[in-house]
Amino acid sequence: MLRKKATYLSALGLSLSLALTGCMAGGDDDKETAGGAPKSGKKLEEKVVIYSPHGKDILQQFEQKFEAENKNVDVEWLDLGSQEVLDRIRSEKSNPQADVWWGAPSVMFNQAKGEDLLAEFKPSYADALDEEHHDSDWTWTGTSKTPEVIMYNTKELKKEDAPKDWDELLDPKWKDEIIIRYPLASGTMRTIFSAMIYRDYKDSQDPAKGYEWLKQLDANTKEYAANPEIMYNKVAKGEGKLSVWAMPDVVMLKETKNYPFDFIVPESGTPVLTEGIAIVKNAKHPEAAKAFYEFVNSQESNKTLAEEHYRIPTRNDIKDLPAWIAETKIEAMDIDWKVFEEKSNEWMEHWDNNIKNKKKETKE
């Protein structure tokens, strides 16, 4: 029979009916297959709905790959910032529309766990994850590690002239040369901003110095871009020379899309996020959700994500990874992620209400 053409969902269209009819998955054993989906013998529903910040390139590819191996399952996805995903899942708690949440910092998954938004699911690859890369109750597992870096336009700046550490971004010479993804919608940016506050907060228990740092950064920031693509394009065009962002994305844009980008790992250390995946509690398509969860975290998929999409796996059994992963030295900041979970919303609200664009108000 003809398979329904896969679509990615608009925010309005997502709330339309999510039919629950099934087809048989193959096999009896629970071992990981080459594609990653477990052969549990249980029925897979005809649809699985994914919320993810991973972008259309990854989402379209894994939609097609999963559907090729599960021909009666239609993958639908919504591409949102990770904070937007969390907010949407919260708002849909009484009537979940998503089945899988794929991609966000672990602190956000912990927040969701605390609000009873996630289902427990221990995947077949659990033994390949170190303790820091999964929730103790298996409401989420890590998929990749993401160091944060200073990104610069190589046509506008030589490497030796670009900032080498976070505090160098505050130099007045970078005024109106920095373009930043709007932090409140972005798990990456919320983590970077929270890390800048945490550097002093961990000893003083006072965010004041961190707020002052963000105020100085705001003075040098030309624009807060509404989404990553806008930020990429503006930096690529030279409308700003610098940004701060996730290292794997910078490498991907440079290598696959010929953006004039490179990165510097801050010398004093950088937050290294664990990106995760989870099944939404009371998901309408739970068996298809489990199959997709396993599929995108199989050894084969991890190799694809590392080689084609520049993701650093959390699984410790992935061999022959690209040289850029093996050879890049990362000095990870020592961070109490529980503090981030507890304080990030408060810190970001203060930034949004008291710091953002204050230089423009002063000029006016």
Side-chain angles (χ1 to χ4, degrees):
M1 83 180 180
L2 292 177
R3 185 161 56 90
K4 176 177 172 285
K5 183 178 179 181
T7 60
Y8 54 90
L9 303 173
S10 69
L12 291 176
L14 186 62
S15 60
L16 297 176
S17 63
L18 299 175
L20 206 80
T21 53
C23 61
M24 290 300 296
D28 290 343
D29 66 278
D30 291 317
K31 294 182 180 179
E32 182 178 341
T33 66
K39 292 183 177 180
S40 64
K42 294 183 179 180
K43 292 181 178 180
L44 300 190
E45 300 85 2
E46 286 189 343
K47 184 183 292 185
V48 61
V49 180
I50 316 300
Y51 287 0
S52 176
H54 281 326
K56 66 179 182 180
D57 290 346
I58 289 177
L59 294 172
Q60 285 178 342
Q61 180 180 16
F62 278 85
E63 170 191 5
Q64 293 165 4
K65 288 168 71 75
F66 183 79
E67 289 179 346
E69 296 195 12
N70 301 274
K71 296 186 183 299
N72 292 304
V73 182
D74 180 29
V75 176
E76 296 185 349
W77 50 264
L78 182 61
D79 182 17
L80 293 168
S82 50
Q83 182 63 41
E84 294 169 311
V85 174
L86 175 55
D87 291 342
R88 193 177 181 94
I89 290 174
R90 280 176 176 146
S91 71
E92 297 170 350
K93 182 176 182 179
S94 63
N95 183 26
Q97 300 300 298
D99 300 305
V100 177
W101 176 7
W102 181 24
S106 60
V107 291
M108 290 188 171
F109 286 105
N110 283 330
Q111 289 173 349
K113 175 187 177 181
E115 297 174 35
D116 198 28
L117 299 175
L118 306 180
E120 293 183 13
F121 175 61
K122 188 173 182 178
S124 62
Y125 56 87
D127 290 345
L129 293 172
D130 296 332
E131 184 177 352
E132 66 268 25
H133 294 143
H134 67 84
D135 171 53
S136 58
D137 295 318
W138 299 99
T139 60
W140 61 266
T141 63
T143 57
S144 63
K145 296 176 285 188
T146 306
E148 313 303 347
V149 296
I150 297 168
M151 182 179 86
Y152 66 95
N153 182 320
T154 56
K155 290 183 178 179
E156 301 289 336
L157 284 175
K158 296 179 181 178
K159 187 164 189 172
E160 56 267 28
D161 297 327
K164 303 300 185 296
D165 212 342
W166 300 111
D167 291 345
E168 293 183 31
L169 293 167
L170 307 184
D171 191 312
K173 70 181 179 182
W174 303 122
K175 185 175 179 62
D176 291 333
E177 297 291 357
I178 301 174
I179 296 178
I180 289 175
R181 163 73 162 111
Y182 179 57
L184 267 67
S186 166
T188 295
M189 287 308 311
R190 291 169 72 98
T191 298
I192 293 173
F193 275 23
S194 293
M196 297 303 99
I197 295 171
Y198 181 77
R199 292 187 301 174
D200 183 72
Y201 181 88
K202 68 179 186 294
D203 297 318
S204 68
Q205 300 299 299
D206 187 343
K209 285 188 177 179
Y211 290 156
E212 178 59 30
W213 192 95
L214 293 177
K215 183 177 178 181
Q216 294 182 56
L217 182 68
D218 179 76
N220 282 351
T221 300
K222 184 175 183 179
E223 181 178 339
Y224 296 101
N227 61 58
E229 292 297 332
I230 292 174
M231 183 265 284
Y232 303 153
N233 289 332
K234 287 182 177 290
V235 176
K237 292 175 182 177
E239 295 181 27
K241 297 176 183 177
L242 297 167
S243 189
V244 289
W245 198 240
M247 184 183 84
D249 288 351
V250 180
V251 178
M252 179 270 293
L253 292 164
K254 173 185 175 182
E255 298 293 333
T256 67
K257 299 192 175 183
N258 297 315
Y259 278 74
F261 293 165
D262 208 343
F263 69 87
I264 292 174
V265 180
E267 294 173 347
S268 62
T270 192
V272 179
L273 292 174
T274 296
E275 295 275 345
I277 189 169
I279 295 175
V280 177
K281 189 169 184 177
N282 298 321
K284 290 182 169 64
H285 312 104
E287 297 307 321
K290 292 174 186 177
F292 186 85
Y293 186 119
E294 293 269 359
F295 178 83
V296 300
N297 292 292
S298 67
Q299 289 189 344
E300 178 183 329
S301 292
N302 268 270
K303 289 279 285 183
T304 298
L305 287 164
E307 293 170 356
E308 299 181 23
H309 300 287
Y310 303 88
R311 307 288 168 173
I312 305 172
T314 53
R315 284 185 63 156
N316 57 28
D317 59 350
I318 310 301
K319 308 299 183 184
D320 302 318
L321 291 169
W324 73 270
I325 295 177
E327 296 172 4
T328 301
K329 294 182 179 180
I330 304 295
E331 181 69 31
M333 289 180 66
D334 185 13
I335 291 173
D336 183 343
W337 295 104
K338 185 68 174 176
V339 173
F340 276 38
E341 181 185 340
E342 294 172 350
K343 293 292 184 178
S344 179
N345 285 340
E346 173 189 328
W347 292 345
M348 292 302 95
E349 287 176 10
H350 179 91
W351 174 85
D352 198 43
N353 294 326
N354 301 286
I355 296 174
K356 180 188 67 175
N357 290 330
K358 290 302 178 183
K359 64 169 183 176
K360 295 181 177 62
E361 294 177 12
T362 301
K363 286 179 180 179
E364 293 170 1

